[in-house]
Amino acid sequence: MGNFIGDSGPDTTPCGKPAAVAHYFTEKSWIEGSALQQLADMAQMPGMLSIAGFPDLHPGKYGPVGMAALSTRLYPQLIGTDIGCGMGLFELDLPLRKFKIEKAAEALRQLETPAFGQMNSEAMDNARSLVAKADTLGTIGGGNHFCEIQAVDELLCPEASVHLDRQKTYLLVHSGSRNLGASVFAETLAGNASLDEGLDPASDAGIAWLTRHDLCVDWAALNRQIIAERAAAVLRTEVRLIADVPHNLVRAAAHGHVHYKGAAAVTAGGIAPIAGSRASLSYVVEPLAGAAISHWAISHGAGRKYDRRNMHGRTGNTRSEREGLLRNAWGGVAICDDRRLAVEEAAGAYKNAAQVVEDLAGHGLVRPLAAMKPLVTYKKVDIDHDEAKRDKGRERRQERRQKRG
DNA sequence: ATGTGC
């Protein structure tokens, strides 16, 4: 476990020794130098006790993504905007033998359009009881978020059949707290002169953030449940939750709070999905008792190899390249009407999830249960993106004209 | 990440 800073007390570490940084990856997982530097910088932060870096580690805005950090102080900026973001794995009541990719893709295009406000759902009632304004409830969002129908590609150990069945189909939902988490983070930045020294968890500011953080975490899990229910509704089937694992949050521990940033916060006895890209295999793993050493954190996905900006121009330059981005090696399809997003989320932007799983297993953190293949991935539907944009521009010009008189 | 920013 993490090394303890001595008797001076962990709250007063500016001149103390830096926190221990442990790497749970091998040289086979290429890690960008700037991400390692961000880990090293974090080790100097006041109250920081122990940091774990995972094989999907990559640079982020306020700190690296793919890490878990135990600290006596709270660092909201290490968690960022999408508080409570995570992955939900569901079993669909839709046997693989009856499953048709094209038909399912057509149905799933309706995922975010139906009058889901009329859906009768306990999850929806619960989410609405948490926050009055919940207009983004049941929506996936952008970036790396998705809702994907999967099937077992390979069972990797005999015990896997307890959880997963080759004859069934599954749903992996990656989403978070949408504009709720974004507003909590914006208010936290505005309400604190600096977050450089972190917040005392017992202070008013610390409690204020923790309280709203907890709400985001709960809301995000309900959001994933509702997305799954909406997917089931348009596919005319049912869903059953297998595992919901957040990877963007803090959790109270014996000696402080563990900050999970793009690192799945797992529990003993559960299972967890590790997402590949939309054109590569994802995995389901069982966290082992050995994961206690990494603060019960493991990787949450393949991890980016190229940042979003870097991807533009690399692919999607021709019509055939763009069409290729929406197909995969298993005959699966992706629904993504946003060209830029499709390029940013191309399989080539990501590292290999198989290597991530191998590194985690090699460090005794997980046992791989299954490889899962992508059949239909819902990213974003935009009926007429360009027209909407033109309308917006027209409205703005008209407003300006009216202002001038 | 964010009904994204000019």
Side-chain angles (χ1 to χ4, degrees), chain A residues 178-267:
Chain A
R178 308 289 282 107
N179 57 351
L180 179 62
S183 66
V184 167
F185 186 52
E187 285 162 22
T188 302
L189 286 179
N192 291 278
S194 169
L195 293 173
D196 291 350
E197 310 282 304
L199 302 174
D200 177 348
S203 68
D204 287 349
I207 291 166
W209 181 72
L210 272 177
T211 304
R212 289 180 294 172
H213 158 282
D214 292 351
L215 183 123
C216 290
V217 170
D218 290 343
W219 195 91
L222 289 164
N223 191 36
R224 290 186 285 275
Q225 174 73 34
I226 291 160
I227 290 166
E229 288 173 3
R230 295 180 75 182
V234 295
L235 292 164
R236 303 188 184 283
T237 185
E238 307 283 329
V239 277
R240 182 179 69 84
L241 179 68
I242 301 176
D244 187 82
V245 185
H247 54 236
N248 232 15
L249 75 166
V250 297
R251 273 188 181 170
H255 304 294
H257 281 83
V258 181
H259 297 62
Y260 299 84
K261 176 61 172 180
V266 295
T267 49

Coordinates of all heavy atoms in Angstrom, one line a residue, chain A residues 178-267:
Chain A
R178 N -23.2 14.5 -17.4 CA -23.6 15.5 -18.4 C -23.4 16.9 -17.8 O -22.4 17.2 -17.2 CB -25.0 15.2 -18.8 CG -25.3 13.8 -19.3 CD -24.6 13.5 -20.6 NE -25.4 14.0 -21.7 CZ -25.0 15.1 -22.4 NH1 -23.9 15.7 -22.1 NH2 -25.8 15.5 -23.4
N179 N -24.4 17.8 -18.1 CA -24.2 19.2 -17.7 C -24.3 19.4 -16.2 O -23.8 20.5 -15.7 CB -25.2 20.1 -18.4 CG -26.7 19.7 -18.1 OD1 -26.9 18.6 -17.5 ND2 -27.6 20.5 -18.5
L180 N -24.8 18.4 -15.4 CA -24.8 18.5 -14.0 C -23.4 18.6 -13.4 O -23.0 19.5 -12.6 CB -25.6 17.4 -13.4 CG -25.7 17.3 -11.9 CD1 -26.4 18.5 -11.3 CD2 -26.4 16.0 -11.4
G181 N -22.5 17.6 -13.8 CA -21.2 17.6 -13.3 C -20.4 18.8 -13.8 O -19.6 19.4 -13.0
A182 N -20.7 19.2 -15.0 CA -20.0 20.4 -15.6 C -20.3 21.6 -14.8 O -19.4 22.4 -14.5 CB -20.4 20.6 -17.0
S183 N -21.5 21.8 -14.3 CA -21.9 23.0 -13.6 C -21.3 22.9 -12.2 O -20.9 24.0 -11.6 CB -23.4 23.2 -13.5 OG -24.0 22.1 -12.8
V184 N -21.3 21.7 -11.6 CA -20.6 21.6 -10.3 C -19.2 22.0 -10.3 O -18.7 22.8 -9.5 CB -20.8 20.2 -9.7 CG1 -19.9 19.9 -8.5 CG2 -22.2 19.9 -9.4
F185 N -18.5 21.6 -11.3 CA -17.1 21.9 -11.4 C -16.9 23.4 -11.7 O -16.0 24.0 -11.1 CB -16.4 21.1 -12.6 CG -14.9 21.2 -12.6 CD1 -14.1 21.1 -11.5 CD2 -14.3 21.6 -13.8 CE1 -12.7 21.2 -11.5 CE2 -12.9 21.8 -13.8 CZ -12.1 21.6 -12.7
A186 N -17.7 23.9 -12.6 CA -17.6 25.4 -12.9 C -17.8 26.2 -11.6 O -17.1 27.2 -11.3 CB -18.6 25.8 -14.0
E187 N -18.8 25.8 -10.8 CA -19.1 26.6 -9.6 C -17.9 26.4 -8.6 O -17.6 27.3 -7.8 CB -20.4 26.1 -8.9 CG -21.6 26.6 -9.7 CD -22.9 25.8 -9.4 OE1 -22.9 25.1 -8.3 OE2 -23.8 25.8 -10.2
T188 N -17.3 25.2 -8.6 CA -16.2 25.0 -7.6 C -15.0 25.8 -8.0 O -14.4 26.4 -7.1 CB -15.9 23.5 -7.6 OG1 -17.0 22.7 -7.3 CG2 -14.7 23.2 -6.6
L189 N -14.8 25.9 -9.3 CA -13.7 26.8 -9.7 C -13.9 28.3 -9.4 O -13.1 29.0 -8.9 CB -13.5 26.7 -11.3 CG -12.8 25.4 -11.8 CD1 -12.7 25.4 -13.3 CD2 -11.4 25.2 -11.2
A190 N -15.2 28.7 -9.6 CA -15.6 30.1 -9.4 C -15.6 30.4 -7.9 O -15.2 31.5 -7.5 CB -16.9 30.4 -10.0
G191 N -15.9 29.4 -7.0 CA -16.0 29.7 -5.6 C -14.8 29.5 -4.8 O -14.8 29.8 -3.6
N192 N -13.7 29.1 -5.4 CA -12.4 28.9 -4.7 C -11.3 29.7 -5.4 O -11.1 29.5 -6.6 CB -12.0 27.4 -4.6 CG -13.0 26.7 -3.7 OD1 -12.9 26.7 -2.5 ND2 -14.0 26.0 -4.3
A193 N -10.6 30.6 -4.7 CA -9.6 31.4 -5.3 C -8.5 30.5 -6.0 O -8.1 30.8 -7.1 CB -8.9 32.3 -4.2
S194 N -8.2 29.4 -5.3 CA -7.2 28.5 -5.9 C -7.5 27.1 -5.4 O -7.9 26.9 -4.3 CB -5.8 28.9 -5.5 OG -4.9 27.8 -5.9
L195 N -7.3 26.1 -6.3 CA -7.4 24.7 -5.8 C -6.0 24.0 -5.8 O -5.9 22.8 -5.6 CB -8.3 23.9 -6.8 CG -9.8 24.4 -6.8 CD1 -10.6 23.7 -7.9 CD2 -10.5 24.1 -5.5
D196 N -5.0 24.8 -5.9 CA -3.6 24.3 -6.0 C -3.3 23.5 -4.7 O -2.5 22.5 -4.8 CB -2.6 25.4 -6.2 CG -2.7 26.0 -7.6 OD1 -3.5 25.4 -8.4 OD2 -2.1 27.0 -7.9
E197 N -3.7 24.0 -3.6 CA -3.4 23.3 -2.3 C -4.5 22.3 -2.0 O -4.4 21.7 -0.9 CB -3.3 24.3 -1.2 CG -2.4 25.5 -1.5 CD -0.9 25.1 -1.4 OE1 -0.5 24.6 -0.3 OE2 -0.2 25.3 -2.4
G198 N -5.5 22.1 -2.8 CA -6.6 21.2 -2.5 C -7.5 21.8 -1.5 O -7.3 22.9 -1.0
L199 N -8.6 21.0 -1.2 CA -9.5 21.4 -0.1 C -9.4 20.5 1.0 O -9.3 19.3 0.8 CB -10.9 21.4 -0.7 CG -11.2 22.3 -2.0 CD1 -12.6 22.0 -2.5 CD2 -11.0 23.8 -1.7
D200 N -9.6 21.0 2.2 CA -9.7 20.2 3.4 C -11.1 19.5 3.4 O -12.1 20.2 3.3 CB -9.6 21.1 4.7 CG -9.8 20.3 6.0 OD1 -10.2 19.1 5.9 OD2 -9.5 20.8 7.0
P201 N -11.2 18.2 3.4 CA -12.5 17.5 3.3 C -13.5 17.9 4.4 O -14.7 17.8 4.2 CB -12.1 16.0 3.4 CG -10.7 15.9 3.2 CD -10.1 17.2 3.5
A202 N -12.9 18.4 5.5 CA -13.8 18.8 6.6 C -14.2 20.3 6.5 O -15.1 20.7 7.3 CB -13.1 18.5 7.9
S203 N -13.6 21.0 5.6 CA -14.0 22.5 5.5 C -15.3 22.7 4.8 O -15.8 21.7 4.1 CB -12.9 23.2 4.7 OG -12.9 22.8 3.3
D204 N -15.8 23.9 4.9 CA -17.1 24.1 4.2 C -17.0 23.9 2.7 O -17.9 23.3 2.1 CB -17.5 25.6 4.4 CG -18.0 25.8 5.9 OD1 -18.2 24.8 6.6 OD2 -18.2 27.0 6.3
A205 N -15.9 24.4 2.1 CA -15.7 24.2 0.6 C -15.5 22.7 0.3 O -16.1 22.3 -0.7 CB -14.5 25.0 0.2
G206 N -14.8 22.0 1.1 CA -14.6 20.6 0.9 C -16.0 19.8 1.0 O -16.3 19.0 0.1
I207 N -16.7 20.1 2.0 CA -18.0 19.5 2.2 C -19.0 19.8 1.0 O -19.7 19.0 0.5 CB -18.6 19.8 3.6 CG1 -17.8 19.2 4.7 CG2 -20.1 19.4 3.6 CD1 -18.1 19.8 6.1
A208 N -18.9 21.1 0.6 CA -19.8 21.6 -0.5 C -19.5 20.8 -1.7 O -20.4 20.3 -2.4 CB -19.6 23.1 -0.7
W209 N -18.2 20.6 -2.1 CA -17.9 19.9 -3.3 C -18.3 18.4 -3.1 O -18.9 17.8 -4.0 CB -16.4 20.0 -3.6 CG -16.1 19.3 -4.9 CD1 -16.4 19.6 -6.2 CD2 -15.4 18.0 -5.0 NE1 -16.0 18.6 -7.1 CE2 -15.4 17.7 -6.4 CE3 -14.8 17.1 -4.1 CZ2 -14.7 16.5 -6.8 CZ3 -14.2 16.0 -4.5 CH2 -14.2 15.7 -5.9
L210 N -17.9 17.8 -2.0 CA -18.2 16.4 -1.8 C -19.7 16.1 -1.9 O -20.1 15.1 -2.5 CB -17.7 15.9 -0.4 CG -16.3 15.5 -0.3 CD1 -15.9 15.1 1.2 CD2 -16.0 14.2 -1.2
T211 N -20.5 17.0 -1.3 CA -22.0 16.8 -1.3 C -22.5 16.8 -2.8 O -23.2 15.9 -3.1 CB -22.7 17.9 -0.5 OG1 -22.1 17.9 0.8 CG2 -24.1 17.7 -0.4
R212 N -22.0 17.8 -3.5 CA -22.5 17.8 -4.9 C -21.9 16.7 -5.8 O -22.5 16.2 -6.7 CB -22.2 19.2 -5.5 CG -23.2 20.3 -4.8 CD -23.0 21.6 -5.4 NE -21.6 22.2 -5.0 CZ -21.1 23.3 -5.5 NH1 -21.8 24.0 -6.3 NH2 -20.0 23.7 -5.1
H213 N -20.6 16.4 -5.5 CA -20.0 15.2 -6.1 C -20.8 14.0 -6.0 O -21.0 13.2 -6.9 CB -18.6 15.1 -5.5 CG -17.9 13.8 -5.7 ND1 -18.2 12.7 -4.9 CD2 -17.0 13.3 -6.6 CE1 -17.5 11.6 -5.3 NE2 -16.8 12.0 -6.3
D214 N -21.2 13.7 -4.7 CA -22.0 12.5 -4.4 C -23.3 12.4 -5.2 O -23.7 11.4 -5.7 CB -22.3 12.4 -2.9 CG -21.0 12.1 -2.1 OD1 -19.9 11.9 -2.7 OD2 -21.1 12.2 -0.9
L215 N -23.9 13.6 -5.4 CA -25.1 13.7 -6.1 C -24.8 13.4 -7.6 O -25.6 12.6 -8.2 CB -25.7 15.1 -6.0 CG -27.0 15.5 -6.6 CD1 -27.9 16.0 -5.6 CD2 -26.8 16.5 -7.7
C216 N -23.7 13.9 -8.1 CA -23.4 13.6 -9.5 C -23.1 12.1 -9.8 O -23.5 11.6 -10.8 CB -22.1 14.4 -9.9 SG -22.4 16.2 -10.1
V217 N -22.4 11.5 -8.8 CA -22.1 10.1 -8.9 C -23.4 9.3 -9.0 O -23.5 8.4 -9.8 CB -21.2 9.6 -7.7 CG1 -21.1 8.1 -7.7 CG2 -19.8 10.3 -7.8
D218 N -24.3 9.6 -8.1 CA -25.6 8.9 -8.1 C -26.4 9.1 -9.4 O -27.0 8.2 -10.0 CB -26.5 9.3 -6.9 CG -25.9 8.8 -5.6 OD1 -25.0 7.9 -5.6 OD2 -26.3 9.3 -4.5
W219 N -26.4 10.4 -9.8 CA -27.2 10.8 -11.0 C -26.6 10.1 -12.2 O -27.3 9.7 -13.1 CB -27.2 12.3 -11.1 CG -28.2 12.9 -12.0 CD1 -29.4 13.3 -11.8 CD2 -28.0 13.2 -13.4 NE1 -30.0 13.8 -12.9 CE2 -29.2 13.7 -13.9 CE3 -26.9 13.0 -14.3 CZ2 -29.3 14.1 -15.3 CZ3 -27.1 13.4 -15.7 CH2 -28.3 13.9 -16.1
A220 N -25.3 10.1 -12.3 CA -24.6 9.5 -13.5 C -24.9 8.0 -13.6 O -25.2 7.5 -14.7 CB -23.1 9.7 -13.4
A221 N -25.0 7.3 -12.5 CA -25.3 5.9 -12.5 C -26.7 5.7 -13.0 O -27.0 4.8 -13.8 CB -25.1 5.2 -11.1
L222 N -27.6 6.5 -12.5 CA -29.0 6.5 -12.9 C -29.1 6.8 -14.4 O -29.9 6.2 -15.1 CB -29.9 7.4 -12.1 CG -30.1 6.9 -10.6 CD1 -30.6 8.1 -9.8 CD2 -31.0 5.7 -10.6
N223 N -28.3 7.8 -14.8 CA -28.3 8.2 -16.3 C -28.0 7.0 -17.1 O -28.6 6.7 -18.2 CB -27.4 9.3 -16.5 CG -27.5 9.9 -17.9 OD1 -28.6 10.0 -18.4 ND2 -26.4 10.3 -18.5
R224 N -26.9 6.2 -16.7 CA -26.6 5.0 -17.5 C -27.7 4.0 -17.5 O -27.9 3.3 -18.5 CB -25.3 4.4 -16.9 CG -24.0 5.2 -17.1 CD -22.8 4.5 -16.7 NE -22.6 4.5 -15.3 CZ -22.0 5.5 -14.5 NH1 -21.6 6.6 -15.1 NH2 -21.9 5.3 -13.2
Q225 N -28.3 3.8 -16.4 CA -29.5 2.9 -16.3 C -30.6 3.3 -17.3 O -31.2 2.5 -18.0 CB -30.0 2.8 -14.9 CG -31.3 2.0 -14.7 CD -31.0 0.5 -14.7 OE1 -30.0 0.0 -14.3 NE2 -32.0 -0.2 -15.3
I226 N -30.9 4.6 -17.3 CA -32.0 5.1 -18.1 C -31.6 5.0 -19.6 O -32.4 4.6 -20.5 CB -32.3 6.6 -17.8 CG1 -32.9 6.6 -16.4 CG2 -33.2 7.2 -18.8 CD1 -32.9 7.9 -15.7
I227 N -30.3 5.3 -20.0 CA -29.8 5.1 -21.3 C -30.1 3.6 -21.7 O -30.6 3.3 -22.8 CB -28.4 5.5 -21.5 CG1 -28.2 7.0 -21.3 CG2 -27.8 5.0 -22.8 CD1 -26.8 7.5 -21.1
A228 N -29.7 2.7 -20.8 CA -29.9 1.3 -21.1 C -31.4 0.9 -21.3 O -31.8 0.2 -22.2 CB -29.3 0.4 -20.0
E229 N -32.2 1.5 -20.5 CA -33.7 1.3 -20.6 C -34.2 1.8 -21.9 O -35.1 1.2 -22.5 CB -34.4 1.9 -19.4 CG -34.1 1.1 -18.1 CD -34.7 1.8 -16.9 OE1 -35.4 2.9 -17.0 OE2 -34.5 1.3 -15.7
R230 N -33.7 3.0 -22.3 CA -34.1 3.6 -23.6 C -33.7 2.7 -24.8 O -34.4 2.5 -25.7 CB -33.6 5.0 -23.7 CG -34.1 6.0 -22.7 CD -33.6 7.3 -22.9 NE -34.2 8.0 -24.1 CZ -33.8 9.2 -24.5 NH1 -32.9 9.9 -23.9 NH2 -34.4 9.7 -25.5
A231 N -32.5 2.2 -24.7 CA -32.0 1.3 -25.7 C -32.9 0.0 -25.8 O -33.2 -0.4 -26.8 CB -30.5 0.9 -25.4
A232 N -33.2 -0.5 -24.6 CA -34.0 -1.7 -24.6 C -35.4 -1.4 -25.2 O -36.0 -2.2 -25.9 CB -34.2 -2.2 -23.1
A233 N -35.9 -0.2 -24.9 CA -37.2 0.2 -25.4 C -37.3 0.2 -26.9 O -38.2 -0.3 -27.5 CB -37.6 1.5 -24.8
V234 N -36.2 0.9 -27.5 CA -36.3 0.9 -29.0 C -35.9 -0.4 -29.6 O -36.3 -0.7 -30.7 CB -35.3 2.0 -29.5 CG1 -35.8 3.4 -29.1 CG2 -33.9 1.8 -29.1
L235 N -35.2 -1.3 -28.9 CA -34.9 -2.6 -29.4 C -36.0 -3.6 -29.0 O -36.0 -4.8 -29.4 CB -33.6 -3.1 -28.8 CG -32.3 -2.4 -29.2 CD1 -31.2 -2.7 -28.3 CD2 -32.0 -2.8 -30.7
R236 N -37.1 -3.1 -28.4 CA -38.2 -3.9 -27.9 C -37.8 -5.1 -27.1 O -38.1 -6.3 -27.4 CB -39.1 -4.3 -29.1 CG -39.6 -3.1 -29.9 CD -40.6 -3.4 -30.9 NE -41.0 -2.3 -31.7 CZ -41.8 -1.3 -31.2 NH1 -42.3 -1.4 -30.1 NH2 -42.1 -0.3 -32.0
T237 N -36.9 -4.8 -26.1 CA -36.5 -5.9 -25.2 C -36.3 -5.4 -23.8 O -36.7 -4.3 -23.5 CB -35.2 -6.6 -25.8 OG1 -34.9 -7.7 -25.0 CG2 -34.0 -5.6 -25.8
E238 N -35.7 -6.2 -23.0 CA -35.4 -5.8 -21.6 C -33.9 -5.7 -21.3 O -33.2 -6.4 -22.0 CB -36.1 -6.8 -20.6 CG -37.5 -7.1 -20.9 CD -38.5 -5.9 -20.4 OE1 -38.1 -5.3 -19.4 OE2 -39.5 -5.7 -21.0
V239 N -33.5 -5.0 -20.3 CA -32.1 -5.0 -19.8 C -32.1 -5.4 -18.3 O -33.0 -5.1 -17.6 CB -31.4 -3.6 -19.9 CG1 -30.9 -3.4 -21.3 CG2 -32.3 -2.5 -19.4
R240 N -30.9 -6.0 -18.0 CA -30.6 -6.3 -16.6 C -29.2 -5.9 -16.3 O -28.3 -6.2 -17.0 CB -30.8 -7.8 -16.4 CG -30.6 -8.3 -15.0 CD -30.7 -9.8 -14.9 NE -29.7 -10.5 -15.6 CZ -28.5 -10.8 -15.0 NH1 -28.2 -10.4 -13.8 NH2 -27.6 -11.5 -15.7
L241 N -29.1 -5.1 -15.3 CA -27.7 -4.6 -14.9 C -26.8 -5.7 -14.4 O -27.2 -6.5 -13.6 CB -27.8 -3.5 -13.8 CG -26.5 -2.9 -13.3 CD1 -25.8 -2.1 -14.4 CD2 -26.7 -2.0 -12.1
I242 N -25.6 -5.8 -15.0 CA -24.6 -6.7 -14.5 C -23.6 -6.0 -13.6 O -23.2 -6.5 -12.6 CB -23.9 -7.4 -15.7 CG1 -24.9 -8.2 -16.5 CG2 -22.8 -8.4 -15.1 CD1 -24.3 -8.8 -17.8
A243 N -23.1 -4.9 -14.1 CA -22.1 -4.2 -13.3 C -22.1 -2.7 -13.7 O -22.2 -2.3 -14.9 CB -20.7 -4.7 -13.6
D244 N -22.1 -1.8 -12.7 CA -22.0 -0.4 -13.0 C -20.7 0.1 -12.2 O -20.6 0.0 -11.0 CB -23.2 0.4 -12.5 CG -23.1 1.8 -12.9 OD1 -23.4 2.1 -14.1 OD2 -22.7 2.7 -12.1
V245 N -19.7 0.6 -13.0 CA -18.5 0.9 -12.4 C -18.1 2.4 -12.8 O -17.7 2.6 -14.0 CB -17.4 -0.1 -12.9 CG1 -16.0 0.2 -12.2 CG2 -17.8 -1.5 -12.6
P246 N -18.1 3.3 -11.8 CA -17.7 4.6 -12.1 C -16.1 4.7 -12.2 O -15.4 3.9 -11.6 CB -18.2 5.5 -11.0 CG -18.2 4.5 -9.8 CD -18.5 3.1 -10.4
H247 N -15.6 5.7 -13.0 CA -14.2 5.9 -13.1 C -13.7 7.3 -13.0 O -12.6 7.7 -13.4 CB -13.6 5.2 -14.4 CG -14.3 5.7 -15.6 ND1 -14.9 4.8 -16.5 CD2 -14.5 6.9 -16.2 CE1 -15.4 5.4 -17.5 NE2 -15.2 6.7 -17.4
N248 N -14.6 8.2 -12.5 CA -14.3 9.6 -12.4 C -14.9 10.1 -11.1 O -16.0 10.7 -11.1 CB -14.9 10.4 -13.6 CG -13.9 11.2 -14.3 OD1 -12.7 11.1 -14.1 ND2 -14.3 12.1 -15.1
L249 N -14.3 9.9 -10.0 CA -14.9 10.3 -8.7 C -13.9 10.2 -7.6 O -12.7 9.7 -7.8 CB -16.1 9.3 -8.4 CG -15.7 7.9 -8.0 CD1 -16.9 7.2 -7.4 CD2 -15.2 7.0 -9.1
V250 N -14.3 10.6 -6.4 CA -13.5 10.2 -5.2 C -14.2 9.3 -4.3 O -15.5 9.3 -4.3 CB -13.1 11.5 -4.4 CG1 -12.2 12.4 -5.2 CG2 -14.3 12.2 -3.8
R251 N -13.5 8.5 -3.5 CA -14.1 7.6 -2.5 C -13.3 7.8 -1.2 O -12.1 7.8 -1.2 CB -14.0 6.2 -3.0 CG -15.2 5.8 -3.8 CD -15.2 4.3 -4.1 NE -16.3 4.0 -5.0 CZ -16.4 2.8 -5.5 NH1 -15.5 1.8 -5.4 NH2 -17.5 2.6 -6.3
A252 N -14.0 7.8 -0.1 CA -13.4 7.9 1.2 C -12.7 6.6 1.5 O -13.3 5.5 1.2 CB -14.4 8.2 2.2
A253 N -11.5 6.7 2.0 CA -10.7 5.5 2.4 C -10.2 5.7 3.8 O -10.5 6.8 4.4 CB -9.6 5.3 1.5
A254 N -9.5 4.8 4.4 CA -9.1 4.9 5.8 C -8.2 6.1 6.0 O -8.4 6.7 7.1 CB -8.3 3.6 6.2
H255 N -7.4 6.4 5.1 CA -6.4 7.5 5.3 C -6.6 8.7 4.5 O -5.7 9.6 4.4 CB -5.0 7.0 5.2 CG -4.7 5.8 6.0 ND1 -4.6 5.8 7.4 CD2 -4.5 4.5 5.7 CE1 -4.4 4.6 7.9 NE2 -4.3 3.8 6.9
G256 N -7.7 8.8 3.8 CA -7.9 10.0 3.0 C -9.0 9.7 1.9 O -9.8 8.8 2.1
H257 N -8.9 10.4 0.8 CA -9.8 10.1 -0.3 C -9.1 9.6 -1.5 O -8.0 10.2 -1.8 CB -10.6 11.4 -0.7 CG -11.8 11.7 0.2 ND1 -11.6 12.3 1.4 CD2 -13.1 11.4 0.1 CE1 -12.8 12.4 2.0 NE2 -13.7 11.9 1.3
V258 N -9.5 8.6 -2.1 CA -8.9 8.1 -3.3 C -9.6 8.8 -4.5 O -10.8 8.8 -4.6 CB -9.1 6.6 -3.5 CG1 -8.4 6.1 -4.8 CG2 -8.5 5.8 -2.3
H259 N -8.8 9.5 -5.3 CA -9.2 10.2 -6.5 C -9.1 9.2 -7.7 O -7.9 8.8 -8.0 CB -8.4 11.4 -6.8 CG -8.5 12.5 -5.7 ND1 -8.1 12.3 -4.4 CD2 -9.0 13.7 -5.7 CE1 -8.3 13.4 -3.7 NE2 -8.9 14.3 -4.5
Y260 N -10.2 8.9 -8.3 CA -10.1 8.0 -9.5 C -10.4 8.9 -10.7 O -11.4 9.5 -10.9 CB -11.2 6.9 -9.4 CG -11.2 6.0 -8.2 CD1 -11.7 6.4 -7.0 CD2 -10.6 4.7 -8.3 CE1 -11.7 5.5 -5.9 CE2 -10.6 3.9 -7.2 CZ -11.1 4.3 -6.0 OH -11.1 3.4 -5.0
K261 N -9.4 8.9 -11.6 CA -9.5 9.7 -12.8 C -9.3 8.8 -14.0 O -8.2 8.4 -14.3 CB -8.5 10.9 -12.9 CG -8.6 11.7 -14.2 CD -9.9 12.3 -14.4 CE -9.9 13.3 -15.6 NZ -11.2 13.9 -15.8
G262 N -10.4 8.4 -14.7 CA -10.2 7.5 -15.8 C -9.6 6.2 -15.3 O -8.9 5.5 -16.0
A263 N -10.0 5.8 -14.0 CA -9.6 4.5 -13.4 C -10.8 4.0 -12.8 O -11.4 4.6 -11.9 CB -8.5 4.7 -12.5
A264 N -11.2 2.8 -13.1 CA -12.4 2.1 -12.6 C -12.3 1.9 -11.1 O -11.3 1.2 -10.7 CB -12.7 0.9 -13.4
A265 N -13.3 2.4 -10.4 CA -13.3 2.2 -8.9 C -14.1 0.8 -8.7 O -15.3 0.8 -8.7 CB -14.0 3.3 -8.3
V266 N -13.3 -0.2 -8.5 CA -13.9 -1.6 -8.5 C -14.1 -2.0 -7.0 O -13.6 -1.3 -6.1 CB -13.0 -2.6 -9.2 CG1 -13.0 -2.3 -10.7 CG2 -11.6 -2.6 -8.6
T267 N -14.8 -3.1 -6.8 CA -15.0 -3.6 -5.5 C -14.7 -5.1 -5.6 O -14.8 -5.8 -6.6 CB -16.5 -3.5 -5.1 OG1 -17.3 -3.9 -6.2 CG2 -16.8 -2.0 -4.8

